[in-house]
Amino acid sequence: MKKDPLSVTLEVDSFDGKIHVEREPKASVTPMGQLAFFIQFLKTGHRFEPWVNDCPLTYKSPNAPQKVDVAYSG
């Protein structure tokens, strides 16, 4: 039996370790579907810290979260 090339499981490197991504042909497309690949891009390209530093978020409350905690809520 020939395996569909679109049903291959991909290994993606995230900040929490390796995850496996598999395409579900009958599932709806969502805006978050490519997020795992964007996270891998930020990690392997050493772009996460510059991305957070360039983020225009500013909080004034003394108990406000740090930008990195908002950008990475994983």
Side-chain angles (χ1 to χ4, degrees):
M1 179 178 193
K2 190 173 180 182
K3 190 167 184 169
D4 178 8
L6 295 177
S7 67
V8 174
T9 300
L10 300 173
E11 191 173 85
V12 179
D13 198 14
S14 75
F15 289 99
D16 284 334
K18 302 266 185 205
I19 60 171
H20 294 93
V21 178
E22 186 172 315
R23 180 181 174 268
E24 176 59 50
K26 296 187 190 306
S28 299
V29 176
T30 69
M32 302 302 251
Q34 300 297 314
L35 191 58
F37 301 104
F38 181 61
I39 292 168
Q40 178 174 276
F41 163 75
L42 291 174
K43 182 177 183 203
T44 58
H46 305 284
R47 298 298 309 149
F48 182 72
E49 189 174 324
W51 181 65
V52 171
N53 291 338
D54 290 343
C55 180
L57 291 175
T58 55
Y59 295 108
K60 304 212 186 277
S61 171
N63 61 346
Q66 298 293 312
K67 283 199 291 188
V68 68
D69 296 329
V70 176
Y72 179 69
S73 58

